Amino acid sequence: MERRDYDYYESNVADISLAEITSCEGNAKIIRRLLGGDDTLRHLTLGGTSAAGWFKNYFHVGEGDDLGWLGYFIGKSKCFHHLYIQNLPDGEGREQQMCAFMEGIARSQSNRALSCTNLGDNVSGAIGRALGVLSQLEELSYGYNTLGPNGFSALGTLLKSGVLKLKKLSLFDNDIGYCGVASLANGLKSIGPSLKVLDLKDNFIGNEALSALVAALANCTSLEELDLSINDFSMATAGLGSLSDWLQAAVWNLNALSLRSCGIDDEGLQALANGATNHCKDLDLSENDSITVLGLRRLSTSLQSESCRLEKLDLGWMDIGDDGAEVLARGLIGNKVLIRMHLCGEGEGEGEDDDIAITPAGWSAFSPVLCDTSSVNNTYLSNHTIQ
C-alpha cells in the first residue's frame, strides 16, 4: 500500500468507486452512510470475522477493503463517536493499513472513544503508535489482546508523550504483568490529571507490580474508579498497604474500588482496610475466600470508625460463616453511611446462602443491630441507614 496524504484522498474522492475499495455490499453501505452524513452512524465495529448479525454497524475487513479510505470517511463525519476494533489478526500489510486508517480517523472532531479487543501484538502495536494523532480521544480500551512487548511498549510511550488526555483507560485481560505495569506507570504520570476511570483487571499483577502502580497513582488526582479485580494479591500485603496509604494521603476519594477475586488474605485486608473504608464509596472484595473472621474483624472495626465513607460493600462468594456474620453485624453499630452490604453467593433462590455458610443463627446477629427493641433509646440508636 503506497503512502498517501490527506490531499490524495481529497483530490480523488469524487472519482472513487466503492466497488474498488470494499470487499462486500455491507461494507459499501457503511461508506455510503458516512458519505451521506448519516447522523445515526455514531459507532462502528471493525472486525476480521463475519459477525454482522451480532452488531448494528459492522465493517467486516476482507480482501479488497481499503482501510485508508474508510478512515478518511470516518474522519469527515461530524457525529461519529465510538470505534470498536476486534479480531484483526496480524498479517502482511496489516500494520501499514492500520496506520493509514488511524491517520484518517484522527481528523474526526467528534470521535471520543476507541475499544480494541482480540488483536495480535503487531496490530495492537500499530494502533498504539498511531494513537498519537488522536488528541481528542477521551476513552481507550484494550481487552483480551495479550499485549506483548510491542503492544504495551508503544502504548506506554504514547501515554508518556502527554498527547492524550484520557478520562477512561481500560486494559483488562492483557496479562501485562510487571513489565506492562512499569510501562503504564510512566504514562500515568502524564495522563494522570485527566484520568477518571482505570481498569486493570485480570493482568497478572502481583505485589511488585502493584507497588509500582500505586507510586504512579499519585498523579491521578481526578481518579474516581479503580478496578484491579482478578489479579494475584495473595502475597501482596506490602502492595495493599501502599494502596491504603495512597488512599489516605490523597486529597480526593474514590467512588469505586474493585478487588474482586484477588486472593486477598487476612493480612492483606488488615493492610488495606483503613484506606479503603475511609476513602471509597463502593468497595468490592467478593470472591476473596482466603479472608477469615480475623480479617473481617479488622474490617468491622473500620466500619465503626467515624471516618468511614463506605456506602456499598460487596463480600459475596466468601466463606463468611456465622462467626463472620456476628463480626460484621457489630461493625454496623453506629455506622451512619453504609447503605448496602452484599453477602450472598450466586443466585437469588434456594441454596444461595450455601456459598457463604451463614445459618439462620448467623443472620439473627443483624436483627438487634438494625432494630434494637430493648428500649426506645436503643431503637432510636439502631442502624437505620443500611437497606
Side-chain angles (χ1 to χ4, degrees):
M1 180 179 178
E2 74 278 12
R3 179 72 178 176
R4 306 165 180 167
D5 58 18
Y6 182 71
D7 290 337
Y8 168 86
Y9 294 106
E10 284 284 283
S11 61
N12 288 279
V13 65
D15 301 321
I16 197 67
S17 167
L18 295 187
E20 295 178 356
I21 62 172
T22 59
S23 64
C24 63
E25 176 56 28
N27 292 354
K29 183 179 179 180
I30 291 289
I31 292 185
R32 288 193 199 99
R33 293 175 64 189
L34 289 167
L35 278 167
D38 185 349
D39 59 7
T40 66
L41 186 54
R42 298 178 58 82
H43 60 85
L44 177 68
T45 300
L46 185 72
T49 59
S50 181
W54 294 92
F55 301 94
K56 184 177 181 180
N57 304 309
Y58 189 79
F59 192 100
H60 178 204
V61 180
E63 193 70 31
D65 286 309
D66 191 318
L67 298 186
W69 276 107
L70 177 62
Y72 167 78
F73 290 124
I74 291 177
K76 300 285 281 187
S77 174
K78 296 181 179 180
C79 58
F80 192 83
H81 180 76
H82 197 144
L83 175 66
Y84 301 85
I85 304 176
Q86 62 176 30
N87 299 313
L88 287 182
D90 290 336
E92 185 176 354
R94 184 74 74 191
E95 184 171 348
Q96 191 175 5
Q97 280 252 21
M98 289 308 302
C99 287
F101 173 72
M102 298 298 288
E103 288 175 2
I105 68 172
R107 296 184 178 275
S108 169
Q109 297 302 307
S110 59
N111 187 44
R112 293 291 182 270
L114 173 63
S115 300
C116 305
T117 57
N118 290 320
L119 305 180
D121 187 38
N122 289 331
V123 172
S124 294
I127 294 174
R129 285 185 289 276
L131 282 174
V133 294
L134 296 180
S135 58
Q136 81 281 12
L137 207 64
E138 296 179 353
E139 298 182 15
L140 177 62
S141 175
Y142 270 75
Y144 308 116
N145 292 296
T146 314
L147 281 174
N150 187 23
F152 62 68
S153 176
L155 182 60
T157 299
L158 169 66
L159 296 177
K160 187 177 180 180
S161 71
V163 172
L164 299 182
K165 305 300 180 185
L166 296 176
K167 293 182 179 179
K168 180 178 181 178
L169 177 60
S170 179
L171 300 176
F172 61 92
D173 198 6
N174 281 288
D175 301 345
I176 62 176
Y178 176 77
C179 292
V181 168
S183 296
L184 175 63
N186 289 327
L188 286 177
K189 295 177 182 178
S190 297
I191 68 167
S194 65
L195 196 65
K196 294 182 179 296
V197 179
L198 179 60
D199 181 353
L200 293 176
K201 62 176 171 283
D202 203 359
N203 269 304
F204 285 161
I205 297 175
N207 181 61
E208 189 176 5
L210 177 58
S211 296
L213 174 64
V214 170
L217 289 177
N219 297 84
C220 299
T221 53
S222 299
L223 198 65
E224 297 176 357
E225 299 180 20
L226 177 61
D227 192 342
L228 296 174
S229 299
I230 322 178
N231 286 295
D232 185 7
F233 298 157
S234 59
M235 300 182 68
T237 300
L240 291 168
S242 297
L243 181 59
S244 179
D245 291 342
W246 166 71
L247 286 167
Q248 294 181 81
V251 295
W252 70 96
N253 295 301
L254 286 180
N255 286 333
L257 173 61
S258 182
L259 297 168
R260 174 178 60 87
S261 191
C262 286
I264 297 173
D265 58 15
D266 291 335
E267 289 187 7
L269 182 55
Q270 290 179 44
L272 174 72
N274 274 352
T277 56
N278 294 345
H279 297 275
C280 297
K281 285 186 177 181
D282 185 340
L283 176 62
D284 187 352
L285 292 172
S286 61
E287 300 182 55
N288 286 290
D289 52 12
S290 293
I291 295 174
T292 70
V293 173
L294 182 62
L296 294 176
R297 186 172 291 115
R298 183 67 186 87
L299 179 63
S300 177
T301 301
S302 297
L303 291 176
Q304 289 182 300
S305 169
E306 292 183 359
S307 302
C308 181
R309 183 176 175 268
L310 207 58
E311 296 179 3
K312 180 182 176 183
L313 175 62
D314 194 338
L315 299 172
W317 295 280
M318 291 168 57
D319 188 11
I320 301 291
D322 289 347
D323 291 342
E326 292 180 14
V327 166
L328 291 171
R330 287 197 295 273
L332 297 178
I333 298 174
N335 183 292
K336 303 298 183 183
V337 293
L338 192 66
I339 297 172
R340 181 172 182 264
M341 181 189 292
H342 181 256
L343 300 178
C344 293
E346 187 173 7
E348 297 181 353
E350 184 178 354
E352 68 173 13
D353 299 341
D354 293 346
D355 293 333
I356 56 175
I358 300 179
T359 69
W363 287 117
S364 67
F366 290 95
S367 296
V369 175
L370 301 178
C371 186
D372 187 349
T373 59
S374 61
S375 70
V376 173
N377 188 55
N378 286 345
T379 301
Y380 174 77
L381 294 175
S382 296
N383 188 308
H384 302 295
T385 306
I386 199 160
Q387 298 175 357

